[in-house]
Amino acid sequence: MLRGLLAALCALLLLLPAAQARTVMPPPLIIASGAEQPIVLQSLQVSGEISGGMAQTTVQMVFFNPNRRLLEGQLQFPLLDGQQIVGFSLDIEGRQRPAVPVEKAKGRQIFEAIERRRVDPGLLEATQGNNFKLRIYPIPANGTRTVEIKYVEPLARQGKNWQYRLPLAYGDRMRGFDLTLNVHGAMAAPQASGSLGAIGLVRTGEQYQMHVNKSGFAASGMLNLLIPAGEKPQTYTQLRDDGTWFVTEIPVAETRMARSLPKVIGLLWDSSGSGAARDHDAEFVVLDRYFKAAGNAEVRLTRLRDRSEPEQSFHVASGNWSALRQALQNTAYDGASALGEWKQEADVGEYLLVSDGLSNYGNAAFPKLAAGQRLYALNSALAADASLLSAWAENTGGRLIQVSAQTIAAATQALLSESTHVETLTAAGASDLQIESHDAKNGILRIAGRLRNPEAQLTLVMRQNGRLATITVPVSATAPAHPLAAYLWAGYRLHELEANRDLHRAEIRRIGQQFGLATAETSLIVLERLDDYVRYDVAPPEEYQIAFKQLKTLRESDVRHARDKHLQTVIEQFQRKAAWWEKDFPKGAAPPSKPPVQEEARYEGRPHVNAAASVMQAPSAPAPAPAISARQNFEAGSNYSAKSKVDSDTASAAPEIRMALKKWSATAPYIDRLKSATAETVYAIYLDEKPGYANSSAFFLDAADILLEKGQRDLALRVLSNLAEMDLENRAVLRILGYRLLQAGAPELAIPVFEKVRRLAEEEPQSFRDLGLAYAANKQYQQAVDQLYEVVLRPWDARFPEIETIVLAELNAIVATSGVPLDTSRIDPRLLKNMPLDLRVIMTWDADNADMDLWVTDPNGEKCYYGHALTYQGGRLSRDFTQGYGPEEFSLRKAKPGKYKIEANYYGNRQQVIAGATTLQVKLTTGFSSSRQKEQMVTLRLKDRQETVFVGEFEVAP
């Protein structure tokens, strides 16, 4: 496993300001790899450039893979509030190639497409809050990869010094360790302390330098550097193509005044699964001091998780809040985080939100507070969305308060008192002003912006000790240059946009691309080949720009031609399916079979049989249907409903069909205990078992099934929602969650999940199909049709063959059976044809680069599968999906009497990570696209290649 990479990143990236100092303990992070032996951090080189109250740290890591196979390395890691990654590079052909910004969904699409070709990509993306995911491919067998990450941060004040802290807990002994720190413009020699021992800094010209070089070194502990700071405002500038940016540091007197506390307090307690990772003891100490200061008050407690719980009222008398404390201590942390799912009350004086800010469920906007109502956010978690919490709080005049066992006094002071607060900020000669915080942090205000004139002036109106004071600060273009000024401005602006990030996605994306940052809308990517930069239209590093522009011009005409050809190809595929549907197939006994013709080798030796060539017992396929005009198919127009046409076409000859699904049952140790529990005790037993299976999606799926069986639907939905907490922005896990919510009859909850999946993976047609079907389940038929037609219009990667014809069947079924007029004016009329079926089976799965097969055996004993896609009686299987997700579709217009057996087979995968069990969803439908439509769905899991399971059967009456 990538323990070395994990330890190094966490150690180097978790730099803690003095006011937030705590033990650096990385949270449990998900690392996906196929390593039989741990990957080793072979050498480490760290360099830091410190100037004024800002620092830039560059970390270069060399990793050695002792395994006999190449691997993909993947991990997640957090940064603290204020830290910002500004660079990422990967070794390509012996040199470090810098990453470039790319739209987030596009970046993931490119990485995974190139990875399938066994080429070198690297991707760094923000997941949620200040959490990041790094993906590197490949780490060669018995070889090395070199990764370099660069990040910036504002330094905290400790007394009259700036404080720079560098954790050194890397874990294993390294072959080489090199550390260089340069301190520019210090008024006196910095003082170093920590686990490296007594190390002095040597003055070299205008800077002080520290250099440490060791071999066979096992680093540990912390390096702490105190740098004398000035007491006057200091401005730094950065000249870029987009203007002259500045950042001004303004020291202010540390004055605080106790604030009056309200008599009605709203306490919003994050009780989601991730809440268990918070430091509750530290939170209780701070709250104890808060309630003692409040004296007598009413506290209205609202627990937040997948949905808010009913409000509870507690009375605090003379600071005694024991009843409330006991209730909080009894909290069972479970479910996802829907932090906007609560209602503001006018008579509440202020709100306390105790949370990590990782809001990952539903689409409710955070409630708007009334004038004068403040929100104070308390966070004690290391992995948190501090930017979002801070933005919510500061928008109300409150603030984010970081809580830890080491900062109780500072957190209490921040909660109970008022510090220097900037009421208004204006400028003459400067624009685009952004302030780090309206409240002074450790005696410092930081303001960034863009100069419009060579000389400018900032005017601040501040409240100190209840009084207003005005100060002016000059800003000059001749101030010392600093390479971080523009990056700090970008960070402050992104922080402000966080309060309503869904409304500002485009601006967040522009800032990420302008400054080369990993944001909620952009990622950083490294590609090996220039052709890939051209193929995916990603601007390469500067040195490749000329060649890139030349190749791009040649490729643009090819892209236009491909787009024009796509719709015509879909129409031809749809017409072939229509010709199959219109043909009458024999329903008697099948003639003797012939062996299938194997046309081409499938991956890992599997034969791939073309559908047209694999008809073992079927008569010759019908000739292609002639082109269908709009008038031949449907009368042209903006609205279409075919309900009457469906009924007349199918009702008179509808056979009686019974469906029977085999309930899939897991064999995990917890199953028997949960099943034997009563409806009243099963949730408590689930909570008892949960700590041992916190990272198992299967556990939550199984427990939710059992809760549903026992009539505990609300608790089942809560348990299911834990999937949203497991792996931030993992679309495979989110898809499973969405499917199971649909299966549980909660499409209104599935829709926001699938909307998030669509944002994460617009390059995959399943993202639009899943959302469209969720809309249809929620009776939002127009939105359903619009989403499904996106699958038809967009060109897709070749690993999604003919998914358009599957989706067109579902689109036409919605139009035909919705019972309401729908706008189909944007749909090509040649694609509007409803094709009802007696039997339909759809199978999807959650694993990318995995091959699952749908098998259907009819009453003749004839099996329809990827190698035999058309049966004697007309059973038709869609194209084979060998690289992930599906859907695979079995269709039969007229079913002969007898039993039809449905099976699922796990053929194999070619993932570069260790794959767990693959979750499959199989839906059986009778009377598809007609008024008699009925369906059942089952979820099952397959783990081993060649594993085959019986799913269920249809029985058609004579």
Side-chain angles (χ1 to χ4, degrees):
M1 293 173 57
L2 300 179
R3 297 294 183 189
L5 178 55
L6 171 62
L9 283 172
C10 288
L12 287 165
L13 298 177
L14 300 178
L15 301 185
L16 305 177
Q20 300 174 8
R22 71 186 88 166
T23 303
V24 180
M25 293 293 291
L29 303 180
I30 296 175
I31 303 175
S33 73
E36 297 173 0
Q37 303 179 61
I39 286 180
V40 179
L41 177 60
Q42 192 175 81
S43 64
L44 177 75
Q45 182 176 329
V46 182
S47 61
E49 300 292 330
I50 304 169
S51 180
M54 295 172 285
Q56 176 176 283
T57 304
T58 303
V59 183
Q60 186 177 95
M61 295 161 282
V62 179
F63 298 97
F64 174 69
N65 175 14
N67 299 280
R68 292 176 296 176
R69 58 171 293 194
L70 58 81
L71 301 168
E72 176 193 329
Q74 183 178 143
L75 72 156
Q76 297 188 14
F77 58 93
L79 297 182
L80 287 184
D81 189 25
Q83 295 177 333
Q84 177 70 61
I85 291 178
V86 296
F88 160 55
S89 68
L90 188 64
D91 60 318
I92 304 287
E93 298 177 345
R95 297 174 56 195
Q96 289 300 118
R97 179 169 296 176
V100 293
V102 63
E103 289 186 27
K104 189 172 183 178
K106 184 177 179 181
R108 187 182 291 111
Q109 171 197 2
I110 295 169
F111 180 92
E112 293 174 358
I114 293 177
E115 182 186 40
R116 292 184 193 98
R117 296 174 11 224
R118 305 295 198 269
V119 186
D120 292 12
L123 183 69
L124 179 69
E125 53 187 342
T127 54
Q128 188 169 2
N130 226 17
N131 296 280
F132 294 82
K133 179 186 289 185
L134 176 64
R135 301 176 67 180
I136 305 165
Y137 181 85
I139 305 176
N142 296 304
T144 63
R145 291 309 299 266
T146 302
V147 179
E148 185 175 280
I149 292 178
K150 184 182 298 183
Y151 63 94
V152 301
E153 62 179 320
L155 301 181
R157 288 285 281 259
Q158 181 175 316
K160 294 185 178 181
N161 298 299
W162 298 114
Q163 184 183 42
Y164 176 79
R165 292 164 61 89
L166 184 64
L168 298 173
Y170 307 124
D172 297 335
R173 188 175 299 275
M174 293 172 285
R175 181 183 299 177
F177 172 80
D178 189 272
L179 169 65
T180 302
L181 296 179
N182 294 312
V183 181
H184 304 271
M187 301 176 63
Q191 301 298 311
S193 61
S195 60
L196 292 178
I199 300 176
L201 280 81
V202 179
R203 180 155 192 162
T204 305
E206 297 297 319
Q207 68 181 25
Y208 289 89
Q209 185 178 82
M210 170 193 291
H211 185 229
V212 178
N213 186 276
K214 294 179 180 288
S215 299
F217 179 60
S220 63
M222 178 87 67
L223 171 67
N224 189 51
L225 198 63
L226 294 179
I227 305 154
E231 296 299 322
K232 295 181 180 179
Q234 177 65 59
T235 294
Y236 300 93
T237 61
Q238 181 181 3
L239 180 62
R240 290 168 37 107
D241 292 341
D242 50 7
T244 300
W245 300 87
F246 72 89
V247 60
T248 298
E249 299 173 340
I250 307 172
V252 295
E254 281 274 33
T255 60
R256 306 194 74 90
M257 181 180 69
R259 65 186 187 89
S260 59
L261 302 181
K263 295 304 179 184
V264 180
I265 300 163
L267 178 58
L268 307 169
W269 194 262
D270 184 348
S271 303
S272 65
S274 64
R278 302 201 313 266
D279 187 345
H280 303 123
D281 290 339
E283 293 170 351
F284 291 154
V285 174
V286 173
L287 288 177
D288 185 66
R289 299 182 181 184
Y290 175 84
F291 290 128
K292 279 184 170 58
N296 299 306
E298 178 191 359
V299 181
R300 298 177 186 172
L301 170 65
T302 302
R303 299 182 188 277
L304 304 176
R305 39 176 124 237
D306 59 311
R307 60 181 68 183
S308 61
E309 295 187 1
E311 182 180 273
Q312 295 176 274
S313 181
F314 296 85
H315 290 277
V316 176
S318 300
N320 184 342
W321 63 295
S322 57
L324 171 59
R325 179 172 184 149
Q326 187 63 50
L328 296 177
Q329 288 175 328
N330 292 338
T331 299
Y333 293 93
D334 192 33
S337 306
L339 299 183
E341 287 281 354
W342 58 278
K343 296 187 181 302
Q344 174 266 352
E345 295 178 320
D347 60 335
V348 171
E350 70 184 30
Y351 284 95
L352 303 181
L353 170 62
V354 185
S355 173
D356 57 19
L358 296 175
S359 190
N360 50 35
Y361 203 62
N363 54 12
F366 196 80
K368 182 177 177 60
L369 301 191
Q373 281 183 327
R374 291 185 179 182
L375 173 76
Y376 289 86
L378 281 69
N379 170 53
S380 64
L382 185 59
D385 195 339
S387 294
L388 183 61
L389 290 172
S390 180
W392 280 344
E394 290 179 7
N395 271 2
T396 69
R399 63 180 68 92
L400 167 64
I401 299 166
Q402 299 285 7
V403 179
S404 72
Q406 292 78 25
T407 62
I408 297 296
T412 302
Q413 184 184 57
L415 183 59
L416 296 180
S417 64
E418 303 277 10
S419 63
T420 300
H421 181 81
V422 177
E423 298 284 342
T424 62
L425 169 64
T426 57
S431 63
D432 302 312
L433 299 182
Q434 294 294 147
I435 188 167
E436 179 185 24
S437 172
H438 284 266
D439 294 297
K441 291 187 174 182
N442 300 312
I444 285 292
L445 293 168
R446 287 189 176 94
I447 298 167
R450 183 156 39 181
L451 286 173
R452 296 302 183 188
N453 298 326
E455 302 294 329
Q457 180 172 279
L458 303 176
T459 301
L460 294 83
V461 177
M462 301 187 299
R463 183 177 296 277
Q464 292 179 305
N465 294 325
R467 298 179 180 178
L468 294 178
T470 301
I471 66 168
T472 59
V473 180
V475 178
S476 174
T478 61
H482 199 293
L484 306 185
Y487 290 114
L488 288 184
W489 177 90
Y492 298 162
R493 179 59 182 162
L494 290 170
H495 171 77
E496 183 176 315
L497 298 175
E498 282 293 322
N500 292 291
R501 59 173 60 143
D502 285 343
L503 298 179
H504 300 294
R505 291 178 60 197
E507 184 176 355
I508 292 172
R509 182 169 60 250
R510 289 194 298 271
I511 291 174
Q513 292 172 331
Q514 180 181 358
F515 294 94
L517 304 175
T519 71
E521 298 296 326
T522 53
S523 298
L524 300 180
I525 195 166
V526 177
L527 303 178
E528 179 183 8
R529 300 175 181 174
L530 180 60
D531 181 63
D532 286 328
Y533 287 98
V534 176
R535 180 195 306 270
Y536 298 108
D537 194 22
V538 176
E542 187 65 33
E543 61 181 303
Y544 304 105
Q545 284 284 349
I546 294 177
F548 169 78
K549 291 177 181 177
Q550 293 171 345
L551 284 176
K552 184 178 178 182
T553 301
L554 295 174
R555 187 175 177 81
E556 282 177 347
S557 61
D558 294 338
V559 172
R560 285 194 298 269
H561 177 70
R563 289 175 178 171
D564 293 340
K565 185 179 177 181
H566 171 73
L567 183 59
Q568 185 58 40
T569 299
V570 172
I571 292 170
E572 292 170 1
Q573 293 168 354
F574 187 71
Q575 290 175 345
R576 285 196 293 270
K577 187 173 183 180
W580 159 83
W581 184 82
E582 291 167 353
K583 179 178 176 61
D584 287 327
F585 287 86
K587 300 301 175 184
S593 63
K594 297 179 181 179
V597 179
Q598 298 182 359
E599 291 193 341
E600 55 183 307
R602 200 174 182 185
Y603 75 84
E604 300 178 5
R606 173 175 178 173
H608 177 72
V609 185
N610 180 277
S614 66
V615 182
M616 298 170 62
Q617 302 165 317
S620 301
I628 302 173
S629 70
R631 186 166 296 278
Q632 286 175 310
N633 196 355
F634 301 117
E635 291 298 323
S638 62
N639 298 305
Y640 168 67
S641 177
K643 183 170 178 63
S644 59
K645 184 178 181 63
V646 168
D647 288 346
S648 63
D649 184 61
T650 63
S652 59
E656 180 183 343
I657 304 175
R658 182 180 65 86
M659 282 185 290
L661 284 174
K662 180 184 178 182
K663 180 171 174 52
W664 187 84
S665 181
T667 58
Y670 51 78
I671 293 294
D672 289 342
R673 190 174 178 219
L674 289 172
K675 284 187 173 181
S676 62
T678 66
E680 292 72 27
T681 62
V682 62
Y683 184 68
I685 292 174
Y686 151 80
L687 292 174
D688 183 53
E689 293 280 0
K690 180 183 174 185
Y693 300 94
N695 292 321
S696 169
S697 60
F699 171 72
F700 296 113
L701 294 172
D702 295 337
D705 278 347
I706 294 171
L707 283 162
L708 283 170
E709 290 173 5
K710 294 181 180 295
Q712 302 290 333
R713 184 174 185 271
D714 287 346
L715 290 174
L717 295 177
R718 176 190 297 177
V719 169
L720 271 180
S721 74
N722 282 285
L723 297 182
E725 299 251 312
M726 287 188 60
D727 184 5
L728 298 177
E729 300 195 347
N730 184 318
R731 65 190 187 279
V733 174
L734 291 174
R735 279 193 176 114
I736 296 173
L737 171 59
Y739 297 151
R740 295 307 292 275
L741 289 171
L742 288 177
Q743 190 175 347
E748 72 284 359
L749 298 177
I751 286 172
V753 173
F754 286 130
E755 287 175 337
K756 184 173 184 178
V757 172
R758 183 187 60 183
R759 289 196 298 271
L760 293 173
E762 290 190 0
E763 76 279 5
E764 294 174 346
Q766 293 85 351
S767 302
F768 294 89
R769 176 179 178 266
D770 292 339
L771 180 57
L773 296 180
Y775 278 137
N778 205 40
K779 299 184 179 180
Q780 296 174 251
Y781 299 119
Q782 188 63 57
Q783 294 95 319
V785 168
D786 293 342
Q787 285 298 311
L788 293 174
Y789 196 54
E790 287 297 316
V791 179
V792 178
L793 289 177
R794 300 187 181 206
W796 304 107
D797 188 272
R799 66 195 183 100
F800 307 119
E802 299 186 19
I803 191 173
E804 297 88 350
T805 58
I806 297 173
V807 169
L808 279 168
E810 293 158 340
L811 183 154
N812 278 289
I814 293 169
V815 172
T817 63
S818 67
V820 296
L822 299 175
D823 183 359
T824 60
S825 59
R826 64 189 290 257
I827 300 175
D828 190 298
R830 291 169 291 181
L831 299 175
L832 286 171
K833 179 178 177 64
N834 189 41
M835 292 183 275
L837 305 170
D838 278 353
L839 307 180
R840 185 176 191 251
V841 183
I842 281 283
M843 183 175 75
T844 60
W845 56 96
D846 70 319
D848 193 9
N849 290 327
D851 184 359
M852 306 291 148
D853 287 324
L854 175 63
W855 297 350
V856 179
T857 304
D858 69 13
N860 290 331
E862 186 177 3
K863 183 167 72 175
C864 191
Y865 71 109
Y866 81 93
H868 181 53
L870 185 63
T871 67
Y872 179 74
Q873 70 150 322
R876 181 183 188 274
L877 192 70
S878 61
R879 286 283 300 277
D880 190 19
F881 277 65
T882 65
Q883 298 185 56
Y885 302 134
E888 292 193 2
E889 175 195 48
F890 171 80
S891 305
L892 182 57
R893 181 182 181 185
K894 295 179 180 179
K896 70 176 292 182
K899 290 185 178 181
Y900 295 76
K901 181 173 68 173
I902 297 97
E903 297 171 288
N905 172 258
Y906 184 173
Y907 185 82
N909 74 75
R910 44 185 178 179
Q911 302 180 64
Q912 301 307 313
V913 298
I914 289 294
T918 298
T919 301
L920 290 81
Q921 305 280 339
V922 185
K923 180 189 292 185
L924 281 62
T925 306
T926 62
F928 173 75
S929 195
S930 73
S931 59
R932 58 188 175 87
Q933 177 171 315
K934 295 180 181 179
E935 62 185 34
Q936 294 183 25
M937 186 162 64
V938 66
T939 300
L940 56 148
R941 290 190 292 278
L942 299 180
K943 184 173 179 59
D944 300 319
R945 293 187 182 189
Q946 305 305 324
E947 182 180 0
T948 302
V949 296
F950 172 69
V951 176
E953 65 183 14
F954 296 108
E955 184 172 358
V956 180

